[in-house]
Amino acid sequence: METNSSRPTKLYVAMVLLLLSLNPCESVDVDPQDKAALLLFGSRAQGPSQSLSAWWSGSNCTNWTGVACSRESGKVISVNLTGMNLSGDVHPSLCNLSSLESLALAQNSFTGAIPSCLGSLSGLKTLDLSRNRFGGALPDTISRLGNLKELVLSWNRDLGGLLPPWIGNFSDKLERLDAGFNSFRGEIPESLLYLKSLRHLNLENNNLGGDLRDFQQSLEILNLGSNSLSGTLPCFSACSGSLSVLNLADNNIVGGIPTCIASLEALTHLNLSHNQLSYKISPRLVFSEKILVLDLSFNNLAGPLPSKIAEGTEKGLILLDLSHNQLSGEIPSKLTELKSLQALFLSHNLLTGEIPSRIGNLTYLQVIDLSNNVLSGAIPLNIVGCFQLLALILNNNNLTGVIQPEFDALSGLEILDISNNKISGEIPQTLAGWKSLEIVDLSSNNLSGTLNDAITKWSSLKYLSLARNMFSGNLPSWVFTFQAIRMMDFSGNNFSGIIPDGNFNLSLYYNNRDFARQPGNISLVSMATLGIKVHVVVASTNEVRLNYDIIAAVGIDLSGNMLHGEIPSGIFGLEGLEYLNLSYNILTGPLPDLEKMRSLKALDLSHNSLSGHPPENISGLEDLTVLDLSYNSFSGYISKKQGYWRFPGAFAGNLNLCVESSTGACGQESTPVVPGKTFQEEMVEGPISLSVFLLSAAITFYFSIVSLFCSARARRYILETKL
């Protein structure tokens, strides 16, 4: 009789035997012909010597990297060399693997044309050649692969030509076709519209054109983003119960959004951004609670915001982007019932009224961007209910009131932009709790008072602008002590006293040229339109994660104040500093050499009382593009050999300074600005206008969202969705 104690042992043995029977390569030698084919391919493939070294150390299939064999015959049935750092042409010997069912060469650097002989692998079910450097056209021989279920060709930029008409009818088993980020052109072949087996179609980021047509199968993922498709939106009725991801962003689609789109009951991600959609959003366009990401940004949608656009549940919409349209009216209070919302983007519209007082009900909210509207009233105190908030962007509105001390509850804030409003009062001491702040723009408001020590607690600061307010008093000694600071702008205030001779050696960016150097050669004109690129990642856990890149000069701007005394010599030793503006103050004393400021691109010390002889030689400052030392009290003789000839008018208004002319005599410097104008007039009309030189005055945060398949080319911020 079998005892109870023996049953677990027998069960364990049975499981082991089952696992062994499922291992197709256990103690099986590679078929000799297949072995020869693989070794020939491996000998021609370039890459790290250890990548395929196991292929030369025996015949046991188990030991062959990326290879699986049939247990019965030893024939190779699968080759997976994904991410092996291999390169060169694919040797056609791979086509001799007659029993091959799966071939994956993804994430390598293979070049040349796709071998036409792959069409002889009649048993192939999966072919993945993505993320390589294949070029030319897709060989017609692929049409012979009648058993293919997955064809993945994406991210081969030189692979293109017309999508062949047979692409949708060569295999009635094809479930996935991914040819995104290639160079295919022409219209979408009609055969793809009727391929019943197709579930996943990705043709994003190609050069496809023609009218967008309806698909007649039960697609689950349809990604045609970043092409040149035109026409109007179809209803996708055949996909009503299956389509979960629909991306048509970055095309030329016109007309309105049909309400039938909301009938796609399985839809989780919808991206129609960067098209030419117009008209009002119908109040009947209400998506189910399954929708997670809804992006209608960068269109011409008009009329009021719909009071209800998605069912508000605990597991519903997490990202809503209606930015960059022409939507008007007030923000409906019903938006605060979208309980799962984590990112809300309504910027660059014509919205009026106040921020809904119940916005604090959105307790999961991490990013709010209501910038560039006509919103009024105060920032509601209830916003502290959004205790997970990472970014609060309200710039360019008509907001009033003060910064409430209670806002310290938003202790996780990383980005705060309330610039270009009418906010008054002082910076509360309680905000010392904002220790995560990295980007702060309070510029162009009516803020006043002195700089309190609360700011010193913002130890992670990278960008700080208090420009064009009414701050006063002395600059405290700690202003230059932030280790991560890149840009500091205190211009256009009433600061007085001296520039503190602080510890300039703390900032990594100010002192390290490699940290400061921007990729490429960015002119000051182009920098005036740059700012922050924000990346909002929607992860598989359905949570957003905020990342950003600062693309701005490394600089200090203290212009337009009442600072006096000498400029601390430590400033002129900052190797990483790209931009320094101390103009329109009452600064005195001589200038030291500038030779250590090797990253300097713009220097404005005009309209002060600086004296002595200018620095002898600036020829070593190769990146210097803008120089203005006008309207000071410099004296002496400036030779053409000193390199100042690159900056006409840089010494205008220095009456005791002789600038060598082309004839060798003292020349009259042309006037770069009109004497007698006020500081405000100079900022608008001067040759180094604020739109070019005062970088921080032009920096605004441009945000949009790119959901699962959005193009990064046209966006100021990127939404990436990982499934």
Side-chain angles (χ1 to χ4, degrees), residues 480-557:
F480 300 117
T481 60
F482 297 100
Q483 291 189 1
I485 199 73
R486 292 183 60 123
M487 184 70 192
M488 181 179 295
D489 188 354
F490 293 169
S491 64
N493 282 285
N494 298 316
F495 290 115
S496 57
I498 64 172
I499 300 175
D501 191 2
N503 185 355
F504 295 101
N505 295 323
L506 290 179
S507 171
L508 297 174
Y509 289 96
Y510 287 172
N511 287 280
N512 191 316
R513 194 182 187 201
D514 293 332
F515 268 97
R517 185 170 292 278
Q518 301 294 326
N521 185 17
I522 304 176
S523 70
L524 287 175
V525 176
S526 64
M527 281 194 293
T529 63
L530 298 178
I532 310 299
K533 286 188 177 179
V534 171
H535 312 260
V536 177
V537 180
V538 179
S540 56
T541 55
N542 297 330
E543 295 180 356
V544 303
R545 184 174 67 252
L546 174 70
N547 300 314
Y548 66 89
D549 300 317
I550 302 180
I551 307 178
V554 176
I556 297 172
D557 193 339

Side-chain angles (χ1 to χ4, degrees), residues 98-396:
S98 57
S99 298
L100 200 62
E101 298 178 3
S102 177
L103 175 61
L105 303 179
Q107 300 178 38
N108 286 290
S109 298
F110 287 114
T111 54
I114 295 174
S116 59
C117 64
L118 290 178
S120 65
L121 299 174
S122 57
L124 209 58
K125 298 177 181 178
T126 298
L127 178 60
D128 186 353
L129 305 178
S130 62
R131 295 184 181 274
N132 280 284
R133 299 177 184 174
F134 289 114
L138 186 64
D140 289 342
T141 53
I142 300 294
S143 62
R144 302 174 189 168
L145 301 178
N147 290 307
L148 206 62
K149 291 184 177 181
E150 293 187 51
L151 177 59
V152 186
L153 307 169
S154 56
W155 293 95
N156 287 281
R157 273 301 184 185
D158 294 327
L159 182 64
L162 291 173
L163 269 177
W166 52 258
I167 195 69
N169 56 23
F170 74 97
S171 171
D172 57 7
K173 299 177 182 178
L174 191 67
E175 297 178 0
R176 180 187 179 194
L177 172 60
D178 188 346
F181 292 90
N182 291 310
S183 297
F184 289 107
R185 53 185 170 82
E187 297 187 3
I188 297 174
E190 188 170 358
S191 59
L192 280 177
L193 305 178
Y194 298 95
L195 179 57
K196 294 299 182 182
S197 60
L198 195 62
R199 297 293 176 264
H200 179 153
L201 177 60
N202 179 12
L203 299 176
E204 69 170 320
N205 235 294
N206 280 283
N207 303 309
L208 301 173
D211 284 350
L212 176 64
R213 299 174 61 187
D214 209 344
F215 286 77
Q216 305 300 317
Q217 64 274 83
S218 299
L219 288 172
E220 297 173 5
I221 294 177
L222 177 59
N223 181 6
L224 304 177
S226 299
N227 281 287
S228 299
L229 299 171
S230 54
T232 58
L233 278 172
C235 286
F236 300 105
S237 301
C239 313
S240 60
S242 60
L243 195 61
S244 62
V245 175
L246 176 59
N247 175 33
L248 301 174
D250 292 295
N251 280 287
N252 299 313
I253 302 170
V254 298
I257 302 176
T259 56
C260 58
I261 291 291
S263 301
L264 299 173
E265 56 191 38
L267 202 61
T268 61
H269 295 73
L270 175 62
N271 188 355
L272 303 178
S273 65
H274 286 273
N275 278 287
Q276 300 175 35
L277 298 171
S278 54
Y279 307 116
K280 295 181 179 180
I281 301 176
S282 170
R284 293 185 293 132
L285 188 73
V286 180
F287 293 90
S288 76
E289 68 278 359
K290 291 184 179 180
I291 193 78
L292 300 176
V293 174
L294 178 57
D295 188 352
L296 307 179
S297 64
F298 287 90
N299 280 289
N300 298 311
L301 299 171
L305 275 172
S307 59
K308 186 176 184 181
I309 199 165
E311 298 292 341
T313 65
E314 293 290 349
K315 295 183 179 180
L317 193 64
I318 65 173
L319 186 145
L320 175 62
D321 190 353
L322 302 177
S323 66
H324 294 267
N325 281 288
Q326 300 175 33
L327 299 168
S328 57
E330 298 187 355
I331 300 174
S333 59
K334 275 194 170 291
L335 279 184
T336 62
E337 297 177 6
L338 298 172
K339 298 179 182 180
S340 57
L341 202 62
Q342 298 180 39
L344 175 62
F345 297 90
L346 302 177
S347 70
H348 294 84
N349 280 290
L350 304 171
L351 301 175
T352 56
E354 299 186 356
I355 300 172
S357 59
R358 293 190 296 172
I359 196 168
N361 294 354
L362 303 176
T363 55
Y364 292 108
L365 210 55
Q366 297 186 40
V367 181
I368 302 175
D369 186 356
L370 308 179
S371 64
N372 292 277
N373 281 289
V374 201
L375 299 173
S376 56
I379 303 173
L381 186 59
N382 177 264
I383 203 171
V384 299
C386 306
F387 60 91
Q388 299 188 55
L389 206 58
L390 301 177
L392 178 60
I393 305 142
L394 305 174
N395 58 288
N396 290 288

Side-chain angles (χ1 to χ4, degrees), residues 606-684:
S606 66
H607 294 269
N608 281 288
S609 298
L610 300 170
S611 59
H613 196 281
E616 288 294 331
N617 198 331
I618 61 165
S619 58
L621 304 180
E622 298 176 354
D623 294 333
L624 191 61
T625 305
V626 177
L627 176 67
D628 192 351
L629 304 177
S630 64
Y631 294 97
N632 279 285
S633 299
F634 291 117
S635 59
Y637 177 77
I638 299 293
S639 168
K640 292 182 67 176
K641 296 179 180 180
Q642 292 177 243
Y644 287 106
W645 57 268
R646 295 157 47 197
F647 310 102
F651 293 108
N654 289 274
L655 301 180
N656 297 319
L657 191 65
C658 174
V659 181
E660 182 184 8
S661 67
S662 57
T663 62
C666 289
Q668 181 66 40
E669 275 279 87
S670 58
T671 306
V673 291
V674 180
K677 290 209 171 192
T678 64
F679 172 63
Q680 287 77 10
E681 290 173 321
E682 292 282 358
M683 289 195 295
V684 177

Side-chain angles (χ1 to χ4, degrees), residues 123 259 296 449 470 475 582 710 717:
T259 56
L296 307 179
M470 295 183 288
L475 289 176
L582 305 179
C710 267
Y717 62 88

Side-chain angles (χ1 to χ4, degrees), residues 15-51:
M15 290 177 65
V16 170
L17 291 175
L18 177 62
L19 290 173
L20 289 175
S21 67
L22 293 176
N23 188 343
C25 298
E26 181 65 24
S27 302
V28 176
D29 285 345
V30 182
D31 175 83
Q33 290 183 342
D34 287 1
K35 178 180 178 180
L38 285 174
L39 290 178
L40 182 55
F41 163 80
S43 65
R44 299 296 179 87
Q46 303 170 17
S49 58
Q50 70 276 13
S51 296

